[in-house]
Amino acid sequence: MISARGLTKRYGDKIAVESLTFDVKPGVVTGFLGPNGAGKSTTMRLILGLDAPTAGSVTVNGRAYRDLPAPIQEVGALLDAGAVQRGRSARQHLRWVAQASGIPVRRVDEVLDLVGLSDVAEKRIGTFSLGMLQRLGIATALLGDPPVLMFDEPVNGLDPEGIAWFRNLVKRLAAEERTILISSHLMSEMQEIADRVLVIGRGRLIADASIDDLVRQTGGDAVRVVSPRAAEFVPILEAAGASVMPEQDGSLLVTGIEIADIGALAARHGITLHELSPRRASLEEAFMAITRSSVEYQAKRSRSTAVAIAGREERIDG
Amino acid sequence: MASTIVDIRQKSTRLRPAIPLTATLRAEWTKLMTVRSTYVLLALSLLLSVAVTALVSWAAGWSWSEWAEADRAAFDPVINSFVGLLLATVLLVALSVGFVTSEYTSGMVRLTLTTTPRRGRVLLAKAGVIAAVTMVAGVIITVATFLTGQAVFAAYDVPTASLGDRDAALAVLATGLTTAVYPVIGVAIGYLLRRTAAAITVTLLLMFAPAFFGPLLPLRWQERVLAYLPGPATDSLAFGHLATDAPMYLERGIAAVVVAAWLVALLGAAYLVLNRRDV
C-alpha cells in the first residue's frame, strides 16, 4: 500500500505536485493518468525517496521508502528503462542490483527468463533495442519479488506483441494480490489493465475512482445507430429527449435514451436500421472530459496556462 | 515463474533483516569490475608509468657524466624512479571520478539509490572499493617503476637503490598504498560535482597546483601552508623520510593525520550534499 498525504513538491517556484492525497490500494491495478508534465514521474520519485517532498509525506507499507530495511524487496520500480550503463551485460547489471539488496544471485536468471531476455543475458546492454531495455527494466523491478510494483510508462517502446505480453504479466501479478501502480498518458492502455485510476493534471489530483465510476460520472454510455435515413431520424430522436452526435462515418452516437426506446422509435416511424449497438464510453473520453473541466477551472484563473494545458492534450490526442 | 507465485500478504508482513554494508560493497565491486574501461585504465596506468620512468631514467643516465658534483650528490635513485607514477595517479583519478559521475550521466544513479536508499553507504562502498583497487594497483605499479628505474640507472653506472634497503622498501610500499589518496578524493569530488570533466579537473588541480606553484611562493608559505595540502602531505607520508630537508616535509605521523583529515572532510562534504540533494 502506498499512501500520500498532502504530498507537495516545488522546484524553485515551479510547482510539480501539490497537496496530493491518495492511497494505492493493495491487490488492485491502479492507473496513474495525466498529460505529460502533469507530475506523474515526480510523484514516483517522491515515493521512492529520490526527491524529498517540500511538504506532506508518502509512505510504502507504512514507512518512508528510505526507512525500508530491504527496499526493492518491498517496492519494485521501473522509472526510466534507458537509465542504465550500457557497457555491462544484462546478467551483470541485474547481478549488482541483486547483490546490493541481498537477493540470491540465482534470482537473476529467473527474472531474465520471466521477461524473455534469457537468450541475450550475456549481450551488452548497449546493443539492446528500446523494447529490450524496457523488459530489462521490468526484470529489475521484479528482482526482489516485491508486493508493491510501480511502472512509469511501461509500454513505451514495446511492440504490439510486447504490449500484449506486458498486459498478461500485469494480470498475473495482480492475481498474486500485488499492489500495482502504472503511469501512462495512454488512456486506452489503462482501460485494458487497470481497476482504478488516479488522474492528475498540473500537479493536482483530479480524480480517484474506479474505471466504471469514472466512465459513468463523465457522460456514461452511448448507443451507436447506423441508418440509411439517419438525417430524418435525428429530429425524431431529439424530440424524444435524446442528444445526438453525428460521427464521421455517417453513424449517430446517441445518448440520454434507452437502447430499446431507440428501436421502438425507429419501428414506429418506419426507419430502417442497419446497426443498433451499445457503445461503452471509453476511459479516453472520460479522461478528456475531466481534464477539460480542470482546464476550464484553470481558465478562470489564468487564460495562458489553460492554453498550455490544451496544447498538451492535443499532443496526446495526436 | 512458479517462484513469483507466493503469498504476497504473508510476505509483506514478514520482518526482513536489514541489508549489511558488505552487500553494498559487493555490488559496487561488481559494478567496477564489469566495465571494460576499468581494465583499460588499470593497464594503461601500469604501462605508461613504467614507460615514462624508463624514459626519464634513461635521460638521467645518458647525461649523468655531465652532471655537476652537487647534483650527483643530491640524486636519490628511489624518488627519481617514481616520476612515472604521476601518470598512473591521473589515470586512476579518471577511473574513480568516472565510477561516480558515469552513473549521473546515464541516470543509473536513481537505480543505485533506490536499491540502497541509505546514501552514505553507497558513498562509503564506492570509496572503499576504489581504495582497495587503487592500493593494490598502486603497489604493483610502484614496484614496477622502481625496478625499471633501478635497472636503467645500473646500466649507466648511476647510483641505484634496492628493495633490500629498509628505507627504499618502505618508500615503495608507502608510495604504492598512498596512490589511493587521490582516487578516493576523486570519489568525493565526483559526488560533489556530478560532472566528469569538472570533477577530474578539480581533483587534478588539488593534486598538481601545490607542486607547480609552491616553489614560486616564499619558503615560509611552503612550510606553513602548502605542506598541509593533500598532495605534499601524501608525499611526506610516502617518501618524506628520504628528503627530510624539503620545505614541504611533514613528519610521518603528522602527515598521516593531515591526509586522513582531508579524506574525512571531503567525503563528509560529499555525504552531506548527496544525502540532501534530489536525484
Side-chain angles (χ1 to χ4, degrees):
Chain A
M1 167 117 145
I2 302 170
S3 303
R5 294 290 174 270
L7 192 62
T8 301
K9 180 66 181 177
R10 282 187 218 103
Y11 297 102
D13 23 312
K14 193 181 160 283
I15 292 169
V17 296
E18 194 171 13
S19 308
L20 290 184
T21 295
F22 61 80
D23 290 318
V24 178
K25 294 180 178 61
V28 295
V29 180
T30 303
F32 193 25
L33 290 175
N36 290 327
K40 302 188 296 290
S41 297
T42 300
T43 306
M44 289 192 164
R45 281 202 305 277
L46 290 167
I47 295 171
L48 294 172
L50 288 171
D51 290 9
T54 310
S57 66
V58 58
T59 57
V60 180
N61 298 333
R63 293 200 208 195
Y65 186 88
R66 280 201 192 192
D67 296 332
L68 295 172
I72 72 163
Q73 296 169 57
E74 299 276 349
V75 197
L78 164 66
L79 290 187
D80 174 3
V84 286
Q85 289 176 340
R86 306 302 166 100
R88 293 187 189 89
S89 71
R91 183 175 281 134
Q92 288 170 333
H93 175 72
L94 290 169
R95 179 148 53 95
W96 79 252
V97 181
Q99 287 171 330
S101 324
I103 295 167
V105 174
R106 75 185 120 77
R107 173 74 182 154
V108 167
D109 285 326
E110 287 175 19
V111 291
L112 282 169
D113 192 40
L114 193 66
V115 302
L117 287 179
S118 297
D119 291 345
V120 293
E122 294 300 324
K123 288 242 167 69
R124 286 178 68 242
I125 296 170
T127 65
F128 280 18
S129 68
L130 203 57
M132 288 157 84
L133 282 175
Q134 209 74 21
R135 284 169 188 257
L136 180 63
I138 292 165
T140 312
L142 295 173
L143 195 62
D145 197 13
V148 180
L149 284 156
M150 264 182 1
F151 300 107
D152 196 5
E153 301 280 356
V155 298
N156 265 7
L158 289 180
D159 53 19
E161 193 196 341
I163 292 175
W165 166 79
F166 180 74
R167 206 176 286 166
N168 279 328
L169 177 73
V170 168
K171 280 185 183 144
R172 209 164 62 231
L173 294 168
E176 293 166 9
E177 304 237 355
R178 292 177 209 254
T179 306
I180 306 175
L181 181 66
I182 304 175
S183 87
S184 181
H185 63 271
L186 299 172
M187 276 50 74
S188 49
E189 190 53 39
M190 286 302 106
Q191 192 156 18
E192 295 286 341
I193 52 181
D195 309 302
R196 297 184 64 82
V197 282
L198 294 170
V199 183
I200 64 171
R202 291 178 50 81
R204 290 178 160 277
L205 194 65
I206 305 174
D208 176 1
S210 75
I211 287 194
D212 292 342
D213 286 348
L214 193 66
V215 167
R216 210 172 302 128
Q217 273 170 27
T218 50
D221 297 347
V223 178
R224 183 176 144 91
V225 177
V226 179
S227 166
R229 293 165 62 192
E232 277 174 62
F233 200 25
V234 172
I236 296 168
L237 286 165
E238 283 174 347
S243 60
V244 182
M245 284 246 300
E247 298 280 272
Q248 285 192 339
D249 62 357
S251 67
L252 304 173
L253 203 59
V254 185
T255 50
I257 182 168
E258 290 297 309
I259 191 163
D261 297 336
I262 300 176
L265 278 174
R268 197 180 312 145
H269 292 87
I271 287 172
T272 312
L273 295 183
H274 290 172
E275 183 181 336
L276 180 64
S277 58
R279 237 201 65 181
R280 199 163 173 272
S282 71
L283 184 57
E284 197 108 14
E285 287 158 323
F287 176 80
M288 293 313 290
I290 53 175
T291 49
R292 205 175 299 126
S293 63
S294 109
V295 171
E296 279 158 15
Y297 164 70
Q298 291 295 338
K300 283 176 202 151
R301 294 166 33 162
S302 154
R303 189 152 290 274
S304 60
T305 54
V307 169
I309 288 187
R312 234 177 257 148
E313 285 183 354
E314 265 162 39
R315 277 204 302 283
I316 291 162
D317 281 348
Chain B
M1 200 144 311
S3 71
T4 64
I5 300 170
V6 288
D7 191 331
I8 295 299
R9 278 161 303 182
Q10 187 193 5
K11 205 167 166 290
S12 59
T13 53
R14 195 174 69 203
L15 265 176
R16 288 167 201 282
I19 295 163
L21 176 64
T22 49
T24 319
L25 279 165
R26 203 171 296 134
E28 292 302 330
W29 171 261
T30 299
K31 276 188 199 167
L32 187 64
M33 290 306 167
T34 49
V35 284
R36 201 182 303 155
S37 59
T38 301
Y39 299 95
V40 171
L41 286 168
L42 287 174
L44 277 180
S45 317
L46 178 64
L47 291 177
L48 288 180
S49 48
V50 167
V52 168
T53 299
L55 199 68
V56 174
S57 304
W58 172 75
W62 187 72
S63 61
W64 184 252
S65 57
E66 293 153 34
W67 283 38
E69 201 55 47
D71 289 340
R72 288 188 187 198
F75 179 81
D76 185 317
V78 178
I79 294 176
N80 276 278
S81 69
F82 290 162
V83 269
L85 291 177
L86 277 182
L87 272 172
T89 310
V90 170
L91 291 169
L92 294 175
V93 163
L95 173 69
S96 78
V97 167
F99 187 42
V100 173
T101 53
S102 66
E103 289 199 19
Y104 283 95
T105 316
S106 63
M108 200 174 79
V109 64
R110 289 193 290 276
L111 180 58
T112 299
L113 297 183
T114 46
T115 307
T116 311
R118 289 173 200 175
R119 299 180 181 183
R121 285 183 166 209
V122 175
L123 173 71
L124 211 59
K126 270 205 170 15
V129 165
I130 282 292
V133 168
T134 54
M135 274 185 188
V136 172
V139 169
I140 293 171
I141 295 168
T142 310
V143 169
T145 57
F146 176 81
L147 295 177
T148 303
Q150 304 318 314
V152 175
F153 295 150
Y156 288 91
D157 288 331
V158 176
T160 59
S162 131
L163 286 176
D165 172 37
R166 194 178 162 277
D167 274 355
L170 188 63
V172 168
L173 183 66
T175 302
L177 293 176
T178 53
T179 304
V181 169
Y182 275 100
V184 171
I185 287 178
V187 169
I189 293 181
Y191 273 117
L192 286 169
L193 300 180
R194 288 181 286 182
R195 291 213 196 87
T196 312
I200 290 179
T201 307
V202 168
T203 309
L204 293 184
L205 270 179
L206 200 60
M207 175 174 158
F208 284 125
F212 281 158
F213 304 113
L216 307 175
L217 296 173
L219 203 59
R220 212 161 3 124
W221 280 49
Q222 296 190 40
E223 287 166 0
R224 296 198 185 157
V225 181
L226 295 182
Y228 295 92
L229 290 176
T234 305
D235 287 348
S236 292
L237 184 57
F239 48 77
H241 59 289
L242 298 179
T244 51
D245 53 349
M248 296 185 217
Y249 168 75
L250 294 177
E251 265 179 61
R252 176 164 274 132
I254 296 172
V257 170
V258 170
V259 170
W262 275 101
L263 292 176
V264 168
L266 287 166
L267 288 170
Y271 171 74
L272 289 179
V273 170
L274 177 64
N275 212 31
R276 282 183 195 183
R277 192 166 49 196
D278 289 345
V279 180

